[in-house]
Amino acid sequence: MKARVQWVDGMAFMGETESGHAVVMDGAPDIGGRNIGPRPTEMLLLGLGGCTGIDVVMILQKQRQPVRDCIVEIEAERSESLPKVFTRIHVHFVVKGAGLDPKAVERAVNLSADKYCSVSRMLEGTAEITHDLEIIEE
């Protein structure tokens, strides 16, 4: 896997992925950024949400669960000292569908957290990662 990140101006950088997608990242205004894109650390949290969300939806689909939506809400805390790594991350899943089996949803979330989500596994080296879930019947 490869990626390329190039400075644009100020504190803005353009990231390009091997799969041909691009994203602008920027620093906060207090360090010279213009707030035109997410911070790199925010991108890490988005990566975690996307990775675990994909896992949960795929597992539920393979189990033929009637999943209609999956929202992953993430809250994180960082250390006070440099480097300001994530120290605590809480992942809240909101899974929607008609007739979902709560045990199947819980199993999918646990499998992602414990086995499949590579981003979660990388971040757990510095952060305590917890999760919970909510099922909304549609």
Side-chain angles (χ1 to χ4, degrees):
M1 183 177 293
K2 295 181 180 181
R4 182 173 188 265
V5 178
Q6 183 172 356
W7 181 39
V8 177
D9 72 354
M11 289 297 131
F13 286 79
M14 173 70 70
E16 297 176 76
T17 66
E18 186 175 37
S19 60
H21 299 280
V23 65
V24 174
M25 297 173 283
D26 197 11
D30 63 335
I31 65 162
R34 294 180 300 154
N35 204 29
I36 60 172
R39 311 294 180 262
T41 49
E42 292 172 328
M43 295 289 294
L44 283 172
L45 294 180
L46 291 175
L48 170 60
C51 183
T52 194
I54 288 170
D55 289 344
V56 168
V57 168
M58 284 180 58
I59 292 166
L60 291 173
Q61 287 176 338
K62 285 180 182 177
Q63 294 177 348
R64 301 198 190 294
Q65 289 293 307
V67 61
R68 300 277 184 251
D69 197 4
C70 180
I71 300 163
V72 183
E73 299 172 343
I74 303 166
E75 289 187 36
E77 295 175 9
R78 295 172 66 187
S79 67
E80 295 291 324
S81 60
L82 294 173
K84 294 185 177 184
V85 298
F86 290 116
T87 56
R88 190 191 70 76
I89 300 171
H90 182 73
V91 183
H92 177 72
F93 294 87
V94 180
V95 182
K96 299 179 183 180
L100 289 165
D101 177 355
K103 289 184 181 186
V105 176
E106 183 176 4
R107 181 173 184 269
V109 168
N110 287 333
L111 280 171
S112 177
D114 299 336
K115 185 175 182 180
Y116 293 114
C117 181
S118 55
V119 177
S120 178
R121 300 306 298 258
M122 285 183 251
L123 290 171
E124 72 184 9
T126 62
E128 173 193 354
I129 302 175
T130 58
H131 63 271
D132 63 8
L133 65 101
E134 173 183 355
I135 298 172
I136 298 178
E137 182 71 22
E138 289 188 325

